[in-house]
Amino acid sequence: MMSNIPFFDYASLYPAHKDEYSEAIENVLSRGAFIMQSELFEFEDKLSNYLDVKHAIGVADGTTALLLSLRASEIQAYDEVIVPSHTFAACASTITQIGAVPILCDCCEDHLIDPESVEKLINGKTKAIMPVHLNGRTANMDKILELAHSKKLLIIEDACQALGSSFKNTFAGKFGLAGAFSFYPSKTLGCFGDGGAIITNDDEIARKIKLFRDHGRNEEGDIEVWGNNARLDNLQAAVLLIRLKYYDEEIMHRRLLANRYEERLGNIEALKLPPAPDSSKDHYDIFQNYEIEAKNRDALKKFLSEKKVGTILPWGGYCLHNFNKLNLTGHYDYTEKMRKELLLLPLNSSIAIEEIDLVCDYVECFYNL
Ligand SMILES: *Cc1c(COP(=O)(O)O)cnc(C)c1O
């Protein structure tokens, strides 16, 4: 069998439910229902039901979701916000966009925010913590919540990779003041362009975010604050309504594939795999990504690429503290050690279990097993 397993096959998204998408798009286009129309509000309703949260607000993308969440909070210019170094640039950039200062912390063995590292960085200027629930796993929030309560810090969550993932039966995005989600096409709930959402149980935060996303205008058309254009397209909302219907299937398939990786690669000493789907009763992981640590990573990546198996280095191989021109400071020993071995293996709904087996055959072959 000759493999051709791209890391993510964008062209597979539309055919998956082509008739339903075509019908929904046709419907929106023929009504001329482009901006702030019924599909947007219906999607917000369905999303808030799915996550059992009071408000879900559609916005332009995940980065905007972070920015508006930060803006709506009480974080002021020069306040410090602690965020893991192993994350996307958008986390730190949005903190700087409100005039605050990102302080980088280390991560734990599961690659998520390390509360001990956070604790060491807290000082009089610290105002908030931004946990990032990477790869579809919710961070262990016990200690983070404890720190936030005892030091009176806000929590704004980056849940862009973790829709439906939970820790101790609480969904990612519901631990703090607000949680941000992305619907970038390769996300577990991806649309056909850019999209994002914010969830919150706080009425006042929700009200502010709705103002910010639409030029500061309230329902009467009165401009109360300086806002922006940060709306989620109605056409994308129509697509998301369809994708949300199949979301549980999507996650089940991903967990099935993750289980197979675990069965096949779990005993290879040169690898450190993410926690397996049912390895902890506290975590429900949705496997946005399958992020491993691999000895001799660059050679493994090259070997797999020759076999036409697509893999990716997270953030192109760099954590935030590696971008020297950004001058970010903090503590990140584990992050720096692990980042040279990080590799994302293919895992998504367009990949069959037989293809995972093939990837595993190649990995075994690479390590001479
Ligand atoms: C995708 C992502 C974002 C940004 O989302 P966009 O929709 O691309 O703006 C932010 N943080 C993390 C961790 C992400 O994975």
Side-chain angles (χ1 to χ4, degrees):
M1 184 172 166
M2 187 57 210
S3 58
N4 182 13
I5 308 173
F7 180 74
F8 192 87
D9 181 10
Y10 288 92
S12 74
L13 291 177
Y14 181 48
H17 303 286
K18 188 170 177 172
D19 293 346
E20 273 182 274
Y21 292 134
S22 300
E23 194 183 322
I25 291 166
E26 164 81 23
N27 180 309
V28 167
L29 298 190
S30 54
R31 281 163 42 228
F34 302 121
I35 305 287
M36 301 271 268
Q37 299 297 312
S38 60
E39 282 79 1
L40 171 63
F41 305 121
E42 191 184 338
F43 172 65
E44 291 177 334
D45 269 358
K46 293 251 159 75
L47 185 63
S48 62
N49 279 338
Y50 189 82
L51 295 174
D52 190 23
V53 66
K54 214 162 163 194
H55 305 279
I57 304 148
V59 294
D61 51 60
T63 305
T64 302
L66 285 169
L67 179 64
L68 299 193
S69 302
L70 289 162
R71 255 202 89 188
S73 76
E74 284 159 21
I75 303 170
Q76 303 286 324
Y78 309 109
D79 285 343
E80 293 185 356
V81 181
I82 299 174
V83 62
S85 180
H86 177 34
T87 192
F88 190 37
C91 299
S93 75
T94 50
I95 294 168
T96 68
Q97 283 171 61
I98 61 159
V101 183
I103 302 292
L104 303 183
C105 70
D106 209 350
C107 62
C108 297
E109 275 202 51
D110 68 355
H111 303 175
L112 304 181
I113 192 164
D114 175 9
E116 284 177 22
S117 167
V118 171
E119 190 166 14
K120 285 185 201 142
L121 292 164
I122 294 173
N123 66 68
K125 286 186 264 175
T126 311
K127 184 72 185 185
I129 305 170
M130 183 189 283
V132 185
H133 307 299
L134 277 187
N135 302 321
R137 179 177 174 86
T138 308
N140 181 331
M141 291 299 290
D142 283 344
K143 187 80 195 296
I144 298 287
L145 287 171
E146 215 180 283
L147 283 173
H149 289 144
S150 67
K151 312 276 183 182
K152 303 212 170 2
L153 304 176
L154 300 171
I155 294 175
I156 306 276
E157 295 169 74
D158 180 340
C160 284
Q161 298 196 358
L163 179 71
S165 147
S166 63
F167 173 70
K168 295 191 174 170
N169 294 318
T170 298
F171 285 123
K174 289 178 65 176
F175 291 90
L177 194 59
F181 295 92
S182 166
F183 308 128
Y184 185 83
S186 61
K187 298 283 157 85
T188 48
L189 187 77
C191 61
F192 297 160
D194 278 311
I198 299 161
I199 61 167
T200 182
N201 277 316
D202 186 310
D203 295 341
E204 186 51 25
I205 293 291
R207 204 182 73 86
K208 280 195 200 169
I209 288 168
K210 284 182 184 169
L211 291 173
F212 292 155
R213 79 164 169 189
D214 189 36
H215 303 289
R217 286 184 294 216
N218 65 21
E219 276 169 14
E220 287 75 48
D222 188 19
I223 296 179
E224 295 185 27
V225 291
W226 295 121
N228 211 326
N229 180 353
R231 301 173 299 234
L232 174 65
D233 264 27
N234 199 54
L235 198 56
Q236 299 301 346
V239 169
L240 287 164
L241 274 170
I242 296 166
R243 289 227 58 193
L244 193 56
K245 276 202 308 189
Y246 297 101
Y247 194 64
D248 289 340
E249 274 174 43
E250 167 87 32
I251 300 313
M252 270 160 55
H253 186 71
R254 285 171 180 264
R255 287 169 58 85
L256 184 85
L257 301 186
N259 259 322
R260 187 61 137 232
Y261 272 135
E262 176 68 30
E263 280 167 21
R264 292 285 315 270
L265 306 177
N267 292 324
I268 300 182
E269 259 178 52
L271 302 178
K272 183 175 169 303
L273 304 183
D278 292 312
S279 54
S280 156
K281 63 174 177 23
D282 291 341
H283 290 268
Y284 184 81
D285 300 349
I286 60 144
F287 292 91
Q288 163 67 55
N289 292 311
Y290 197 76
E291 185 177 72
I292 66 169
E293 294 174 39
K295 299 267 181 268
N296 211 355
R297 177 202 62 186
D298 293 340
L300 173 64
K301 181 172 181 30
K302 183 159 176 279
F303 182 82
L304 290 174
S305 154
E306 283 159 10
K307 304 289 183 194
K308 295 204 178 336
V309 173
T311 60
I312 280 192
L313 301 190
W315 332 118
Y318 305 101
C319 293
L320 292 183
H321 71 269
N322 299 124
F323 296 106
N324 292 330
K325 290 182 183 126
L326 298 181
N327 281 318
L328 295 164
T329 54
H331 291 280
Y332 26 72
D333 292 347
Y334 187 81
T335 306
E336 180 53 24
K337 186 169 72 70
M338 82 165 180
R339 66 124 182 150
K340 293 171 186 143
E341 300 193 331
L342 291 182
L343 188 67
L344 303 183
L345 297 180
L347 186 159
N348 59 68
S349 55
S350 78
I351 294 179
I353 197 138
E354 294 76 19
E355 293 177 301
I356 298 291
D357 277 331
L358 202 54
V359 175
C360 294
D361 291 345
Y362 294 141
V363 172
E364 284 178 344
C365 175
F366 175 79
Y367 288 112
N368 288 316
L369 299 166

